[in-house]
Amino acid sequence: MEKMPAKVFLETERLILRQFTESDAENLFELDSDREVIRFANLGIIKGGEPTDTDRETIRNKTLPRLLAYYQKYEGYGFWAAIEKFSHEFIGWFQFRPALDSPFNVTSGLYDNKDIELGYRLRKVSWGKGYATEGAKALVVKGFSELGTQRVVSSALAANGASSRVMEKAGLKFWQKYIHPEIEPEVVIYALNKEEFKLEEYITT
């Protein structure tokens, strides 16, 4: 059972997005141990390769410190643990961070320092419930309304139609396709500029 978070970043109707803590190591391990969850997750997969399992030691000593460092580096950007309000259980995470923090994005040459990258990874049991769209829309609103975000970008493998639909539902628009030199599958990129953002389109009755 997930304990209530000590520091909440934002809340939606059904979700709490909170800061990660060191006690989330097992949550992350279980999330990344599901090969269906990570099948489309890592855009940096080398050609011909397969996603590799992440061990607990790597998560504890490398992954978590990297995530926790965001809270010291930025006021409102980073990775956020997603908690289902009804069950109080960890269901995955959302990211909302400078796009150039990703070496993959730097290598692509497509982004600049105004771009904030939106992404997520959710447990399989949480798929199909609209959580990805709900969290993504809330981050878009917070970014443009409170954080001074100038452009939100998001990318996925072209074969991952579900993620493309989430981007569209979150208000992002198709930008371009490209083949990254380090991977074989085609990547699609969506984006939304601040001047295109209309808050009224995100408010539900």
Side-chain angles (χ1 to χ4, degrees):
M1 180 68 66
E2 173 69 33
K3 296 180 180 180
M4 290 302 293
K7 189 164 185 180
V8 173
F9 180 61
L10 65 80
E11 293 189 38
T12 68
E13 180 181 355
R14 300 178 296 166
L15 300 175
I16 294 171
L17 301 192
R18 63 157 172 82
Q19 290 187 355
F20 275 97
T21 68
E22 293 181 355
S23 64
D24 285 308
E26 191 64 24
N27 286 331
L28 288 171
F29 176 76
E30 291 178 1
L31 179 68
D32 288 353
S33 293
D34 187 331
R35 296 187 72 81
E36 287 194 56
V37 168
I38 65 171
R39 182 161 63 103
F40 292 123
N42 188 0
L43 292 181
I45 298 170
I46 302 300
K47 291 181 179 180
E50 291 290 336
T52 56
D53 294 330
T54 302
D55 59 76
R56 288 181 172 87
E57 183 177 355
T58 299
I59 288 175
R60 187 176 298 108
N61 296 328
K62 293 184 179 180
T63 305
L64 265 174
R66 177 173 59 86
L67 301 185
L68 296 176
Y70 272 95
Y71 310 135
Q72 301 299 320
K73 188 175 182 181
Y74 301 110
E75 278 293 321
Y77 297 126
F79 286 75
W80 316 99
I83 309 302
E84 185 183 54
K85 282 186 174 180
F86 176 75
S87 65
H88 300 298
E89 291 184 350
F90 173 90
I91 63 168
W93 53 254
F94 286 83
Q95 71 175 41
F96 199 64
R97 63 168 181 176
L100 293 181
D101 279 6
S102 163
F104 178 87
N105 291 339
V106 173
T107 304
S108 76
L110 297 173
Y111 304 94
D112 59 38
N113 57 14
K114 73 178 179 182
D115 294 328
I116 300 300
E117 183 180 40
L118 171 67
Y120 63 91
R121 185 176 301 177
L122 299 179
R123 293 171 57 197
K124 187 178 176 182
V125 295
S126 301
W127 293 359
K129 298 180 179 180
Y131 287 147
T133 299
E134 186 173 324
K137 291 176 72 173
L139 286 167
V140 169
V141 170
K142 190 173 183 69
F144 287 132
S145 301
E146 300 179 25
L147 303 178
T149 301
Q150 296 302 305
R151 181 164 70 166
V152 176
V153 297
S154 190
S155 58
L157 296 181
N160 189 357
S163 279
S164 293
R165 287 189 291 274
V166 169
M167 296 177 207
E168 292 168 354
K169 290 178 181 178
L172 278 65
K173 301 174 183 178
F174 175 77
W175 177 22
Q176 63 176 294
K177 294 182 180 180
Y178 78 105
I179 299 291
H180 192 281
E182 293 181 0
I183 67 172
E184 191 167 295
E186 191 173 48
V187 173
V188 292
I189 307 174
Y190 286 72
L192 182 67
N193 294 311
K194 185 174 183 178
E195 56 267 26
E196 300 172 305
F197 170 72
K198 298 178 181 179
L199 179 61
E200 60 271 19
E201 295 180 357
Y202 290 80
I203 299 175
T204 58
T205 56

